[in-house]
Amino acid sequence: GAVVSQHPSRVICKSGTSVKIECRSLDFQATTMFWYRQFPKQSLMLMATSNEGSKATYEQGVEKDKFLINHASLTLSTLTVTSAHPEDSSFYICSARHQGAYYEQYFGPGTRLTVT
Amino acid sequence: AQSVTQPDIHITVSEGASLELRCNYSYGATPYLFWYVQSPGQGLQLLLKYFSGDTLVQGIKGFEAEFKRSQSSFNLRKPSVHWSDAAEYFCAARPSNTGKLIFGQGTTLQVKP
């Protein structure tokens, strides 16, 4: 149980285009989802927290107009990188918190974004 | 500021040898503590967690961790390392009053045959 999927696993896009990454909780309802960014050989940095039906809360320094997060249902959150640039190339990981299990987060497998 | 520190960036051990990965946290109160493992290009898998109670926590894949309040530490151990344990290991902490996980810098484990 407690499986989180991400789609796509890898994406290459051209500079200036937008790309959407999906995060799904497959076998549980996730009231809260988190989006992280990880640069090579570095740790995970929290970008934003999204609660189902509410606006996402962004961490300091994260551009909310560039990284659009939507959490429209208890099993799906999306991250859209708008007008992507090469510096947005990174590994994006989502995690989901099980409704009623306040203390644990389950992580998706990640999405490798390359902007050319 | 609240932080998690993993002092060792890279560790190499021989297969069959014991392993200890260090983790220290800086918080006013004891946070919830976690160890995750990440294989190359993959997401994170939870190895074990500590919320309260017994300070020696057993996890998956033969890992254990010991919480020491006096040292603000939560070190990960394994008595005998397997080649498949080679990966990146992250210690993380979550203050009891927020939902945010804060990660350490990670420790890369290399296993020699």
Side-chain angles (χ1 to χ4, degrees):
Chain A
V3 178
V4 177
S5 70
Q6 280 184 245
H7 178 79
S9 58
R10 291 177 178 270
V11 58
I12 300 173
C13 70
K14 295 191 174 184
S15 187
T17 63
S18 296
V19 61
K20 179 185 287 187
I21 303 170
E22 291 185 349
C23 176
R24 293 182 184 272
S25 57
L26 298 184
D27 51 2
F28 66 98
Q29 293 186 320
T31 51
T32 304
M33 288 186 170
F34 305 86
W35 286 94
Y36 296 84
R37 184 173 182 177
Q38 185 181 32
F39 290 105
K41 305 291 186 183
Q42 294 190 27
S43 188
L44 281 75
M45 299 300 296
L46 180 65
M47 298 174 65
T49 303
S50 73
N51 291 295
E52 185 263 337
S54 303
K55 289 185 178 180
T57 302
Y58 290 81
E59 294 299 300
Q60 193 171 9
V62 177
E63 298 177 62
K64 54 184 69 175
D65 293 333
K66 180 165 191 60
F67 298 100
L68 300 178
I69 292 172
N70 183 281
H71 190 168
S73 77
L74 285 172
T75 60
L76 174 65
S77 177
T78 59
L79 167 67
T80 302
V81 183
T82 62
S83 187
H85 288 95
E87 57 265 30
D88 298 324
S89 298
S90 191
F91 194 54
Y92 293 88
I93 302 176
C94 74
S95 72
R97 190 157 68 201
H98 190 298
Q99 185 177 30
Y102 183 69
Y103 307 112
E104 296 194 38
Q105 291 176 219
Y106 302 94
F107 286 82
T111 296
R112 173 74 60 193
L113 170 63
T114 303
V115 185
T116 61
Chain B
Q2 299 171 336
S3 66
V4 176
T5 302
Q6 293 177 247
D8 305 304
I9 296 174
H10 191 279
I11 284 183
T12 300
V13 299
S14 297
E15 189 168 17
S18 64
L19 170 71
E20 182 170 33
L21 302 183
R22 296 183 292 165
C23 174
N24 294 95
Y25 63 89
S26 174
Y27 285 84
T30 300
Y32 302 127
L33 296 162
F34 306 82
W35 273 100
Y36 291 89
V37 62
Q38 183 182 36
S39 297
Q42 302 296 313
L44 274 68
Q45 182 180 23
L46 178 66
L47 288 175
L48 45 78
K49 58 187 182 286
Y50 173 77
F51 294 156
S52 64
D54 193 346
T55 57
L56 186 62
V57 180
Q58 301 298 320
I60 63 171
K61 302 186 179 185
F63 286 93
E64 67 177 26
E66 185 172 13
F67 168 65
K68 293 185 177 180
R69 185 189 306 274
S70 62
Q71 299 178 18
S72 298
S73 69
F74 188 57
N75 294 350
L76 182 71
R77 300 194 295 246
K78 186 169 185 177
S80 178
V81 171
H82 188 263
W83 64 265
S84 60
D85 293 324
E88 189 80 14
Y89 290 81
F90 291 98
C91 180
R94 187 177 147 218
S96 57
N97 61 341
T98 76
K100 299 180 186 178
L101 267 181
I102 297 175
F103 286 87
Q105 302 91 322
T107 298
T108 302
L109 173 64
Q110 184 178 0
V111 180
K112 294 191 299 185

